[in-house]
Amino acid sequence: MNLNLEYHRSPIRYITSRTATGTIATGRAAGWWAANMSPVRLVNRPDPRLPGPGWTRVKPLLSGICGSDLGLLTGRNSPYLSALISLPFTPGHEVVGETLDALPDLPKGSRVVLDPVLGCVPRAVKLCPACEADQHSRCDHITSGMVSAALQTGFCADTGGGWSRMFVAHGSQLHKVPDEIDDERAVLVEPLACAIHSVRRIPIPDGASVLVVGAGTVGLFTTLALREYTKAGPIYVIARYGHQRERAREMGATEVLSSDRAARALRRATGGFLARPEQGAEFLLGGTDIAFDCTSGSGLDTALRVVRAGGTVLLSGMPNASVDLTPAWFRELNLVGAYASGGGDFPDAMALAKSAPLTGYVDATYPLSRWRDAIGHASSSGRLGSIKVAFDPTKDQ
């Protein structure tokens, strides 16, 4: 039997969690609600079956808890995504694991990381234009084919996910992990690939000034990718907590700003005029050339208010809060999304994981049996001084 954490649709808990976490957005209370009111349950199910040729069973060694997972459990994710999942599903898409079946290019027992997108190849359907162009994150066929509807592994009823002792994956989704990369680094490869993908979504001119809003996993890895793969000039990072500020500097930030003083600090750094509306936050006439929103909250509002006219704001974190789009209209901003990864992002992320200063990023692991503690910790990770919290399904307690 396969022990796993299953997500079930519960309209009452969804509404209750969304209302409560909207009121108590941070701190112990938010963590308690995420852990105790989310519609997940620990269950034993039969081992998942292989959907077809080219698939393998995978034993997770570590599986990260992502901000999008927490948004799901607290009812903050957009209802838009409800058409792109199949229930009940087992979350977990940041995974390092071990294959349990032999594939032509991947022997049984291989240590692998998962590219979670379920595009045309694993679904065994004719390639859509996006998948033909090696941009499977834009796949048009994620609701068809041999497995049930899902944007990714971790949202699919047929594949399972990393918050379990076993799930299934197609060989095209798996990347072999070199021996010199330990599990704690390997489980970070997927979010690293997403960060690399996001900085490749837009042209970043040499010397351009860039703001990164948020210094959780997404923001820190975006800062690293900007330094490694672009010739950006000054990189400013907005960080809330002390340990995030230290990590941001390690990743190459030029200057780290507090959220309540960001507009004023950027006025001094980039020039411009600070405007104060009757309601809402102050904003700049002037500002950085580019901003990356790497939050799941109010980061987009901040980014829109401190980018120069004609500049670009890239959404890297999953948006789940209302925002005033007036700056996008009035300042003629370019608003660009970045979802998952594509092309050569995973191989580059694997190479980067070997050398990047990632020691200690995964500083808390929990067995599945302590899932409430794990989710509570992840929900309060900033306050508790953590970057990445993960499940270790190989542990009993």
Side-chain angles (χ1 to χ4, degrees):
M1 297 295 284
N2 181 30
L3 185 68
N4 65 93
L5 278 169
E6 273 189 356
Y7 178 92
H8 294 254
R9 179 173 284 125
S10 173
I12 293 176
R13 288 200 171 196
Y14 174 87
I15 294 169
T16 304
S17 296
R18 188 174 181 88
T19 302
T21 53
T23 304
I24 47 175
T26 59
R28 293 182 179 88
W32 185 91
W33 275 94
N36 291 281
M37 293 304 294
S38 56
V40 294
R41 61 188 74 161
L42 187 64
V43 297
N44 270 305
R45 297 292 187 199
D47 292 347
R49 64 176 183 83
L50 297 177
W55 289 76
T56 178
R57 296 168 299 162
V58 179
K59 170 189 173 183
L61 302 174
L62 286 177
S63 185
I65 302 175
C66 174
S68 61
D69 297 323
L70 296 175
L72 171 78
L73 300 183
T74 55
R76 289 180 287 127
N77 284 359
S78 169
Y80 175 97
L81 298 172
S82 63
L84 308 176
I85 63 173
S86 47
L87 294 167
F89 62 79
T90 299
H93 59 273
E94 299 177 355
V95 188
V96 55
E98 180 181 300
T99 61
L100 299 177
D101 301 285
L103 295 176
D105 298 319
L106 207 58
K108 178 181 177 180
S110 297
R111 199 164 54 106
V112 294
V113 291
L114 172 74
D115 180 348
V117 176
L118 288 165
C120 292
V121 174
R123 292 180 175 279
V125 296
K126 182 180 178 181
L127 297 185
C128 69
C131 288
E132 279 189 331
D134 205 16
Q135 294 294 337
H136 58 282
S137 63
R138 305 178 188 178
C139 179
D140 291 328
H141 294 158
I142 53 176
T143 59
S144 59
M146 66 164 50
V147 294
S148 52
L151 65 166
Q152 293 186 355
T153 301
F155 299 91
C156 177
D158 294 337
T159 64
W163 296 5
S164 69
R165 290 186 175 165
M166 186 189 298
F167 67 97
V168 296
H170 191 266
S172 64
Q173 297 179 273
L174 301 175
H175 298 263
K176 199 170 189 303
V177 180
D179 292 339
E180 59 266 35
I181 299 180
D182 60 24
D183 291 345
E184 286 74 17
R185 284 178 176 257
V187 77
L188 300 173
V189 168
E190 194 274 341
L192 269 172
C194 293
I196 293 169
H197 179 68
S198 72
V199 304
R200 290 172 170 168
R201 281 284 291 122
I202 57 174
I204 300 177
D206 293 359
S209 57
V210 182
L211 172 69
V212 176
V213 186
T217 305
V218 177
L220 292 171
F221 288 177
T222 299
T223 304
L224 175 64
L226 284 165
R227 280 295 180 227
E228 290 288 331
Y229 296 103
T230 78
K231 295 181 179 180
I235 300 175
Y236 307 98
V237 177
I238 296 177
R240 174 178 289 182
Y241 301 101
H243 72 287
Q244 294 177 339
R245 291 190 280 272
E246 293 175 9
R247 295 285 190 178
R249 294 187 186 98
E250 288 179 351
M251 292 298 183
T254 305
E255 186 175 351
V256 184
L257 314 173
S258 61
S259 55
D260 59 339
R261 304 288 293 177
R264 294 171 184 241
L266 289 171
R267 178 190 61 179
R268 292 192 297 271
T270 66
F273 175 76
L274 189 67
R276 299 178 180 86
E278 291 182 358
Q279 298 181 27
E282 54 197 10
F283 61 89
L284 290 180
L285 298 176
T288 61
D289 300 312
I290 298 165
F292 286 76
D293 171 27
C294 300
T295 72
S296 297
S298 59
L300 177 57
D301 187 71
T302 300
L304 291 170
R305 290 172 183 265
V306 296
V307 172
R308 64 165 175 81
T312 298
V313 174
L314 187 135
L315 286 81
S316 186
M318 181 184 290
N320 60 29
S322 60
V323 63
D324 185 354
L325 291 175
T326 302
W329 161 74
F330 177 63
R331 305 297 283 165
E332 295 192 341
L333 303 180
N334 303 295
L335 191 59
V336 180
Y339 162 67
S341 62
D345 298 329
F346 253 84
D348 287 345
M350 192 81 76
L352 189 55
K354 295 180 184 179
S355 59
L358 303 179
T359 301
Y361 266 62
V362 180
D363 67 346
T365 61
Y366 291 84
L368 294 172
S369 61
R370 293 183 58 199
W371 65 272
R372 289 184 177 86
D373 293 332
I375 292 169
H377 188 160
S379 298
S380 303
S381 58
R383 180 180 59 81
L384 296 175
S386 296
I387 299 294
K388 176 61 67 176
V389 179
F391 284 109
D392 181 348
T394 67
K395 292 182 179 178
D396 292 327
Q397 57 183 354

